[in-house]
Amino acid sequence: MDIKWDKILVGGDPLLVASQIAIVLTTVGIIAALTYFKKWKWLWDEWLTTVDHKKIGIMYILSGVLMFFRGGVDGLMMKAQTAVPENTFLDAQHYNEVFTTHGVIMIIFMAMPMLMGIINIAMPLQIGARDVAYPQLNALSFWLFFSGAMLFNLSFVVGGSPDAGWTSYFPLAGKEFSPGIGNNYYMIAIQIAGIGTLASGINFVVTILKMRTKGMSLMKMPMFTWTALITSLIIIIAFPIFTIALLIGMMDRLYGTHFFTVEAGGLDMLWANLFWLWGHPEVYIVILPAFGIFSDVIATFAKKRLYGYFSMVLAIVIISVLSMLVWVHHFYTMGVGPTVNSVFSITTMLIAIPTGIKMFNWLFTMRKGKIEFTTPMLWSLAFIPTFLIGGVTGVMLAMAAADFQYHNTLFLVAHFHYTLIPGTVYAVFAGLYYWWPKMFGYKLSEKIGKWHFWLFNIGFNVTFFPMFFLGLNGAVRRAYTYSAESGFSTLFLISAIGSIFLAAGFAALVYNIYWSFRHAERNVGNDPWGSGRTLEWSIGSPAPHYNFATLPEVKSIDAFWYMKKEKKGLELRKSDIKPIHMPAKSWIPVYMGAAFFVFGFVLVFEWHILSVIFGLSVLAGLAFRSFDYDSGYYVPVEEIIETEKWRGEIK
Amino acid sequence: MEKQEKGFPYGHVIGFLVAVALTIFALLVVFKTSFATSTKFTLIGLMAVFQAALQLFMFMHMTEGNDRDSKVIHTIYAIGMGIVIIVGSIWVMTAGHSIH
């Protein structure tokens, strides 16, 4: 117990003190509001203990939006700091903490939950299932993610943030060079969230392989479901690598082992190797579902079948295999020699081929289509040229010899923002606008949505395009300041101004959610876009909790489109409705989240005796689960008929 | 599978004993012999592969059920990825200057 209680709260900096006060006030406010409006029971019954995949998805998305705000504020702070040379808004240490949390939060606690949320909501509906294969495990996944995210977010006011970059390279991240507890948060919070992600991966694979409705062979699945399947397979292969790396990193920091240390036979660069063995597949984990969202949105609003369906499937499979074969391109400059670097250059450049196939397929899907410029479609259209810039600069970086010049500059930073923001964030926005009526029963406002789109898009390009040139001129990443003589000032200022538009775009999204919640038209019907192609548009909006009153039969790809066209398979007959078996809610997942949170917290502070005690509380949850024999309940026929009234009279 | 549920599970007991024996052999090779380190690694590596195969065929129903083809595909895929991860890491971490 060498960390004392008086070191827990980080003090001094006015920004931090203000945040601490804000956190306390918000917490008190939420608790007071819940008590005043008598909402505790509702919260517990309807949300905290739910195993409904749609509600879990909504909770994922809500957390993702919150984390987007947190990560975005970090980004704005960095932009404010570098807006003018020799700025003193943030000091070096604070800047290190901010770029570290920005990276971790945006990838692991924003992009991942957003996509997990959208997969949770849309995938079971697209394959005609009533829930995922393991509903309670699904809830556990969410609560582990949530507890990891909260633990990580606590770091900046309690104990200090990690400050070794989102890549957390050893030996810098080791005890030797980072003696504080900040980097313990990294090792433990991400571990907790990672267990949840791994469970989700297994859950989704089983769901897609085993729970497709009658007639839906693998090659008749919607493209989004295909990408969810491949993403889940990559999760299952790649996440255990990170689990192990984090575990032995934690052993190094907490218990004095020497896996990644410089002395005593440790191999510090092994961390980089293991990190990127997970880290590169990870970027495909967040980009493949995004490709799936774009595929579905483009086919819907071009009102055409997706061009080259088979080649699209083949492309994502090839991308998933290649994703495991390129990790060294993140550390060419380690000095592995020309042979290794050349091999990984080639595998990296190969990725451009399947990605190019997908790009052309999207373009050919739109060719001669009747394109409707709805908000989801706008995000998909903007994705193509912006992502192309990210991809082309990626091929530049893939060349090992050239990479020695680009390495560690803002050119690289601009490149990966040009892939991850159009690739993942635009897709998340497209997916949110597209499936919002299926989640809540009303559309988000198209008008405010267009403000959101234009502000965000212009802001994004103005923020990150100058960074390519800054990088080529030699501005390094992760540097908290620069001199006026460097000549970087103008481009840095332009970039900072761009980030204000980016923030305004995000504010427009939040306002849109608020405005639409208050004023948007309800009763949008089952197919609010009027051109839905897949099964989720055949059921009510919002989707009833049992999803499908009767399980549909699929005869071709884009099944719902053909059902509408041929007017077959859509009507609901009273005689076909049977009681529906649904899983019961459970307190165990939320308990496990809480237990892991406390367990993680005492581990972070290296209170070893307490960590044994709270470790037992985690095991207790597992034991309770072993004796949980609740096999669910049946939804009665009358309730189904009542819920399906929007269809008109059911004969 | 139905057949195995009746009678004494000889297969499982033998498999279990062989697995225990292999583990003990591995410990003996490391602690009680004076082979060169590389020989020790090779020996325990071989025993590990043999034991993994034993587990897959005797306990994990590799060759049973109507989805045996997909099981075999998944296993080959997983082994391939394992090789990429392990052999790739060793190659990268021992090539060029990275070891110094």
Side-chain angles (χ1 to χ4, degrees):
Chain A
M1 290 245 228
D2 44 5
I3 291 163
K4 299 283 180 285
W5 287 96
D6 59 340
K7 283 201 187 156
I8 290 183
L9 276 188
V10 186
D13 192 312
L15 282 173
L16 289 176
V17 176
S19 321
Q20 283 163 346
I21 295 169
I23 289 169
V24 171
L25 287 180
T26 314
T27 315
V28 170
I30 290 172
I31 292 172
L34 283 170
T35 314
Y36 182 77
F37 293 108
K38 298 195 174 66
K39 288 287 186 191
W40 280 106
K41 194 172 154 40
W42 165 83
L43 186 70
W44 178 260
D45 285 346
E46 295 291 314
W47 295 96
L48 300 188
T49 58
T50 187
V51 293
D52 182 343
H53 69 95
K54 298 173 292 297
K55 283 185 175 170
I56 291 171
I58 289 168
M59 290 195 287
Y60 264 122
I61 288 166
L62 195 64
S63 324
V65 172
L66 272 178
M67 290 296 106
F68 201 164
F69 175 75
R70 165 77 212 274
V73 171
D74 284 339
L76 288 176
M77 283 162 78
M78 285 191 277
K79 283 288 133 201
Q81 165 64 20
T82 54
V84 289
E86 315 278 7
N87 199 357
T88 53
F89 172 60
L90 301 173
D91 58 29
Q93 174 61 22
H94 200 165
Y95 191 82
N96 291 349
E97 294 180 5
V98 168
F99 72 66
T100 303
T101 42
H102 172 76
V104 173
I105 285 180
M106 284 303 200
I107 295 280
I108 293 169
F109 300 127
M110 188 283 285
M112 290 296 282
M114 287 283 206
L115 291 167
M116 285 292 164
I118 293 175
I119 293 176
N120 248 308
I121 286 163
M123 181 270 285
L125 300 181
Q126 286 197 329
I127 62 172
R130 287 192 170 129
D131 206 321
V132 292
Y134 309 114
Q136 203 179 117
L137 184 71
N138 196 24
L140 179 73
S141 289
F142 169 75
W143 287 109
L144 289 185
F145 145 73
F146 189 73
S147 119
M150 288 304 110
L151 190 61
F152 192 86
N153 272 280
L154 212 58
S155 67
F156 84 113
V157 287
V158 181
S161 285
D163 55 0
W166 90 279
T167 48
S168 200
Y169 275 4
F170 283 80
L172 174 62
K175 205 81 177 175
E176 218 179 341
F177 296 98
S178 300
I181 61 164
N183 289 288
N184 290 354
Y185 273 111
Y186 181 98
M187 298 291 158
I188 291 157
I190 298 178
Q191 182 74 287
I192 294 172
I195 300 169
T197 308
L198 185 56
S200 287
I202 295 167
N203 212 342
F204 294 152
V205 169
V206 179
T207 308
I208 295 172
L209 290 183
K210 294 282 182 192
M211 294 179 65
R212 277 167 287 132
T213 191
K214 197 177 167 194
M216 185 177 277
S217 62
L218 285 175
M219 294 312 280
K220 284 179 192 144
M221 292 198 305
M223 190 47 63
F224 177 66
T225 302
W226 254 112
T227 56
L229 174 66
I230 299 296
T231 283
S232 306
L233 284 173
I234 308 179
I235 287 176
I236 294 174
I237 290 293
F239 260 76
I241 307 171
F242 198 36
T243 304
I244 295 302
L246 286 170
L247 184 72
I248 57 184
M250 184 188 84
M251 299 289 274
D252 267 16
R253 290 194 54 88
L254 262 60
Y255 307 117
T257 54
H258 290 277
F259 290 105
F260 300 133
T261 53
V262 183
E263 89 260 350
L267 197 53
D268 50 348
M269 282 309 284
L270 184 60
W271 167 270
N273 181 73
L274 293 175
F275 181 88
W276 287 115
L277 256 169
W278 160 80
H280 200 85
E282 164 67 12
V283 302
Y284 291 94
I285 290 168
V286 296
I287 209 105
L288 285 182
F291 285 174
I293 294 171
F294 290 133
S295 301
D296 280 7
V297 167
I298 288 174
T300 301
F301 294 109
K303 303 191 180 64
K304 278 180 65 192
R305 188 184 201 147
L306 184 68
Y307 184 90
Y309 178 88
F310 178 73
S311 64
M312 285 296 229
V313 173
L314 200 64
I316 54 173
V317 172
I318 294 172
I319 290 175
S320 80
V321 173
L322 286 176
S323 79
M324 292 298 294
L325 301 174
V326 297
W327 75 95
V328 176
H329 70 214
H330 296 274
F331 49 97
Y332 282 143
T333 53
M334 178 171 90
V336 275
T339 320
V340 178
N341 277 358
S342 309
V343 168
F344 283 92
S345 276
I346 292 165
T347 52
T348 306
M349 284 187 248
L350 281 176
I351 287 186
I353 297 169
T355 318
I357 291 174
K358 297 187 77 70
M359 288 290 220
F360 281 108
N361 281 343
W362 286 316
L363 294 175
F364 282 129
T365 306
M366 287 187 276
R367 183 172 174 268
K368 290 190 174 174
K370 280 182 94 175
I371 298 176
E372 204 182 335
F373 290 94
T374 57
T375 338
M377 189 62 175
L378 282 178
W379 288 109
S380 311
L381 290 173
F383 152 78
I384 291 176
T386 34
F387 187 77
L388 186 67
I389 297 173
V392 169
T393 51
V395 177
M396 289 167 75
L397 286 156
M399 292 179 277
D403 181 70
F404 275 69
Q405 293 300 313
Y406 308 130
H407 186 84
N408 214 28
T409 67
L410 289 179
F411 185 84
L412 169 76
V413 176
H415 154 72
F416 70 70
H417 282 90
Y418 260 88
T419 51
L420 284 170
I421 292 183
T424 303
V425 180
Y426 284 20
V428 164
F429 290 151
L432 283 185
Y433 280 95
Y434 183 57
W435 280 302
W436 196 269
K438 214 31 77 180
M439 296 182 231
F440 297 104
Y442 58 89
K443 278 191 196 177
L444 287 173
S445 155
E446 284 286 296
K447 197 178 158 201
I448 308 172
K450 275 170 187 141
W451 274 98
H452 170 209
F453 170 77
W454 285 109
L455 282 170
F456 200 92
N457 225 312
I458 292 169
F460 164 70
N461 282 293
V462 176
T463 308
F464 291 101
F465 207 72
M467 284 198 182
F468 282 121
F469 301 103
L470 279 170
L472 291 177
N473 290 342
V476 293
R477 70 190 289 207
R478 294 174 172 171
Y480 80 108
T481 192
Y482 52 94
S483 66
E485 295 82 63
S486 62
F488 299 151
S489 324
T490 320
L491 287 174
F492 263 121
L493 186 63
I494 293 173
S495 172
I497 293 168
S499 70
I500 297 169
F501 285 90
L502 209 50
F506 179 74
L509 170 69
V510 176
Y511 177 67
N512 197 352
I513 294 174
Y514 168 77
W515 187 90
S516 308
F517 174 69
R518 292 290 299 274
H519 306 293
E521 189 202 330
R522 263 54 177 185
N523 301 326
V524 284
N526 59 321
D527 187 13
W529 299 106
S531 45
R533 307 180 74 81
T534 41
L535 288 178
E536 71 266 35
W537 306 112
S538 68
I539 57 173
S541 310
H545 66 103
Y546 49 78
N547 294 355
F548 293 89
T550 54
L551 292 180
E553 189 179 341
V554 169
K555 294 203 177 65
S556 64
I557 186 174
D558 294 337
F560 179 58
W561 179 262
Y562 290 101
M563 286 178 187
K564 279 191 291 188
K565 218 171 155 186
E566 292 155 15
K567 296 194 171 58
K568 253 181 15 200
L570 280 172
E571 69 277 14
L572 184 64
R573 272 189 227 93
K574 212 170 211 167
S575 54
D576 290 343
I577 302 176
K578 305 253 162 17
I580 296 171
H581 185 222
M582 293 301 289
K585 59 188 182 179
S586 167
W587 57 273
I588 297 175
V590 63
Y591 166 80
M592 288 296 274
F596 261 104
F597 180 85
V598 183
F599 179 45
F601 186 80
V602 293
L603 273 180
V604 165
F605 279 88
E606 302 178 16
W607 294 330
H608 298 305
I609 298 160
L610 282 177
S611 66
V612 172
I613 296 168
F614 286 108
L616 289 174
S617 74
V618 171
L619 291 179
L622 298 178
F624 281 126
R625 175 71 182 117
S626 303
F627 296 102
D628 177 9
Y629 296 112
D630 195 335
S631 58
Y633 66 100
Y634 282 89
V635 185
V637 174
E638 300 78 54
E639 188 191 328
I640 300 168
I641 290 173
E642 180 64 26
T643 316
E644 299 292 331
K645 263 199 324 208
W646 59 270
R647 292 174 188 267
E649 203 190 341
I650 299 165
K651 292 187 187 94
Chain B
M1 232 156 84
E2 306 261 301
K3 270 181 211 156
Q4 283 185 348
E5 281 167 20
K6 290 169 195 160
F8 189 75
Y10 288 105
H12 290 91
V13 173
I14 293 167
F16 176 68
L17 291 179
V18 175
V20 172
L22 281 168
T23 311
I24 294 172
F25 279 141
L27 282 170
L28 288 177
V29 167
V30 173
F31 288 116
K32 299 287 179 189
T33 61
S34 48
F35 293 127
T37 315
S38 58
T39 322
K40 281 183 180 175
F41 267 112
T42 317
L43 281 173
I44 60 172
L46 282 173
M47 280 190 266
V49 171
F50 188 66
Q51 182 160 169
L54 189 85
Q55 297 277 349
L56 282 175
F57 288 105
M58 303 209 67
F59 297 112
M60 298 178 80
H61 314 291
M62 251 308 269
T63 50
E64 294 164 18
N66 51 11
D67 55 350
R68 51 179 291 182
D69 290 351
S70 80
K71 278 184 208 162
V72 172
I73 293 170
H74 285 150
T75 311
I76 292 170
Y77 173 64
I79 291 173
M81 282 300 153
I83 289 171
V84 165
I85 293 164
I86 296 165
V87 177
S89 290
I90 293 173
W91 183 44
V92 169
M93 294 313 294
T94 54
H97 309 291
S98 49
I99 199 66
H100 302 299

